[in-house]
Amino acid sequence: MFSCTRSGCIKEVDIDAKQSATLSIDLDNLWCYQRSFGIKGWETYPSFLEIALPRILDFLDQHELRLTVFIVGRDAENCALQSLLSECSQRGHEIGNHSYDHAIDLHDLPKETILADIKRAEVSIQNATGQKPRGFRGPAFGISKAMLEVLQECDYIYDTSSLPNSLGMLARWYQRTQSANLKTETTLNNHLYGSLAECWQPLKPYTLITNMGRIVELPVSTLPLLRLPFHGTYINYLADRSEFLANIYFHMAFSLCRTFNITPSFLLHATDFLGSDDSVDVHYIPGMRKTSQEKIALMSRIMKRYSQLFEIRPLISQVNHLNVESLKQIVPKFN
Ligand SMILES: [Zn+2]
């Protein structure tokens, strides 16, 4: 807080003048990871959401947090998951569309294929949750001209597929190395998880202009200046190496966002609530060495600090508070 007195200004954190921030979770299921790492058996669509999701919903209630839940359409058609997914909506969370099949190259596919995927996901998600998604996040953070046009045709209010980060190359290397260890084949393009050119996209919300009109883009936050990721999985990855480093890192990330007046958009995944003690083999995913209790305790520390510094809301609520006319307008260039 900068509380001014007659004798001068005292520099503290201003808890009373909180900036807004957003929170979202991608409900990538076990089969989504198996598919992207080329692990056989993903075609039977194995799930770990029945373990992770009750923990996540209770965690969010305990911390009085409301966020945006990005659901994969195929899981919304899974009868065993529908009541859990419906609970996300009943407990007050916004529901977003995370594609039907979680194909990591979805944005590179023909426009008709993207349209069919997004519409099918939308119908199944709405049937399961009672909410029509108004926001979209592409699998593996991919954006294309065709995808933006589909979103505009389908009346989406915002896209949040941008992750302007400097570690895209490292993320691809990690996935290829893990696939080699697993003796599987992954189908990764060189621009998945963010190319070097996308690294310097804005961190603040902006509008993307296409022939169809405009759509609000809410980037997933990365560290100002260095553009390193600070989503839940990355912090868990650091914590596997050094808990101390992870703690310093997320404190620094939130402080930098305040300094640069950036509205942070913090990203969680279901795996942030699963640990080495769970009967789910996801050892090839970053940040899976600690137990579920240890990981939830870390998430709790992160969310307490996040809530202390920022007023946290779902993405749609943030969009509703934006003066869209005043946002930077970008005409995207795609290869
Ligand atoms: Zn995903």
Side-chain angles (χ1 to χ4, degrees):
M1 180 183 298
F2 293 93
S3 59
C4 288
T5 65
R6 283 179 191 279
S7 56
C9 290
I10 303 161
K11 192 175 177 183
E12 300 168 10
V13 173
D14 189 352
I15 305 297
D16 295 330
K18 286 181 182 176
Q19 297 170 18
S20 62
T22 61
L23 185 63
S24 62
I25 185 163
D26 292 356
L27 289 188
D28 296 357
N29 208 343
L30 177 56
W31 65 267
C32 303
Y33 290 102
Q34 291 183 340
R35 182 180 185 183
S36 65
F37 281 87
I39 296 169
K40 283 196 176 113
W42 72 266
E43 302 91 337
T44 61
Y45 303 105
S47 171
F48 55 38
L49 289 183
E50 57 278 21
I51 302 171
L53 202 41
R55 284 179 196 169
I56 294 164
L57 290 172
D58 288 346
F59 175 92
L60 295 170
D61 279 354
Q62 282 159 15
H63 290 78
E64 298 182 345
L65 293 167
R66 292 295 170 265
L67 48 51
T68 307
V69 184
F70 285 96
I71 295 176
V72 177
R74 188 177 283 280
D75 283 326
E77 287 181 2
N78 181 342
C79 297
L81 294 174
Q82 281 172 345
S83 64
L84 265 177
L85 296 175
S86 168
E87 215 175 314
C88 296
S89 181
Q90 286 164 19
R91 293 210 203 179
H93 303 293
E94 182 203 354
I95 304 297
N97 186 336
H98 195 36
S99 83
Y100 180 78
D101 245 345
H102 205 270
I104 54 178
D105 60 348
L106 177 65
H107 59 292
D108 283 336
L109 300 178
K111 187 176 170 184
E112 319 76 83
T113 312
I114 298 173
L115 176 63
D117 181 284
I118 289 177
K119 280 309 279 182
R120 188 172 177 186
E122 185 180 298
V123 170
S124 58
I125 291 167
Q126 188 170 5
N127 286 341
T129 66
Q131 267 193 55
K132 180 178 159 67
R134 312 309 305 271
F136 179 82
R137 177 171 292 141
F141 310 102
I143 306 180
S144 65
K145 180 173 179 281
M147 183 167 273
L148 290 176
E149 288 178 358
V150 166
L151 293 177
Q152 287 167 308
E153 279 173 30
C154 296
D155 294 327
Y156 278 73
I157 294 175
Y158 69 91
D159 175 74
T160 176
S161 305
S162 170
L163 176 70
N165 82 102
S166 54
L167 292 189
M169 201 184 290
L170 197 62
R172 291 190 291 277
W173 170 83
Y174 181 91
Q175 183 153 336
R176 287 191 177 115
T177 304
Q178 291 297 71
S179 289
N181 293 340
L182 293 162
K183 298 188 173 33
T184 61
E185 274 186 30
T186 183
T187 52
L188 267 180
N189 291 331
N190 273 339
H191 57 280
L192 284 178
Y193 303 133
S195 66
L196 216 50
E198 289 159 4
C199 168
W200 298 110
Q201 296 284 358
L203 291 176
K204 294 183 180 182
Y206 54 98
T207 50
L208 286 165
I209 310 293
T210 72
N211 294 336
M212 306 277 304
R214 68 182 178 193
I215 185 166
V216 174
E217 180 65 35
L218 295 175
V220 176
S221 294
T222 54
L223 213 60
L225 305 176
L226 295 177
R227 300 300 177 106
L228 297 171
F230 63 89
H231 48 68
T233 304
Y234 189 71
I235 295 174
N236 271 308
Y237 174 81
L238 293 181
D240 276 352
R241 277 133 194 93
S242 163
E243 193 95 21
F244 177 74
L245 176 64
N247 285 334
I248 297 273
Y249 186 72
F250 76 75
H251 274 85
M252 179 185 69
F254 294 154
S255 296
L256 277 176
C257 287
R258 279 181 66 95
T259 303
F260 285 87
N261 199 25
I262 287 167
T263 302
S265 177
F266 193 83
L267 168 65
L268 296 165
H269 281 91
T271 48
D272 296 334
F273 297 83
L274 293 170
S276 54
D277 54 324
D278 285 310
S279 56
V280 192
D281 183 13
V282 281
H283 69 276
Y284 46 89
I285 300 172
M288 293 305 300
R289 291 186 192 166
K290 292 195 182 296
T291 64
S292 53
Q293 268 198 336
E294 289 170 328
K295 291 180 69 173
I296 290 168
L298 174 58
M299 286 302 116
S300 186
R301 290 200 299 280
I302 295 171
M303 285 304 124
K304 278 179 184 161
R305 184 61 180 160
Y306 201 33
S307 306
Q308 198 181 21
L309 294 179
F310 299 98
E311 193 70 48
I312 301 170
R313 45 172 73 141
L315 295 164
I316 188 70
S317 173
Q318 180 66 17
V319 174
N320 290 338
H321 280 79
L322 287 173
N323 178 1
V324 175
E325 300 298 330
S326 69
L327 295 180
K328 184 173 183 178
Q329 298 187 353
I330 293 181
V331 180
K333 292 190 182 78
F334 296 105
N335 295 327

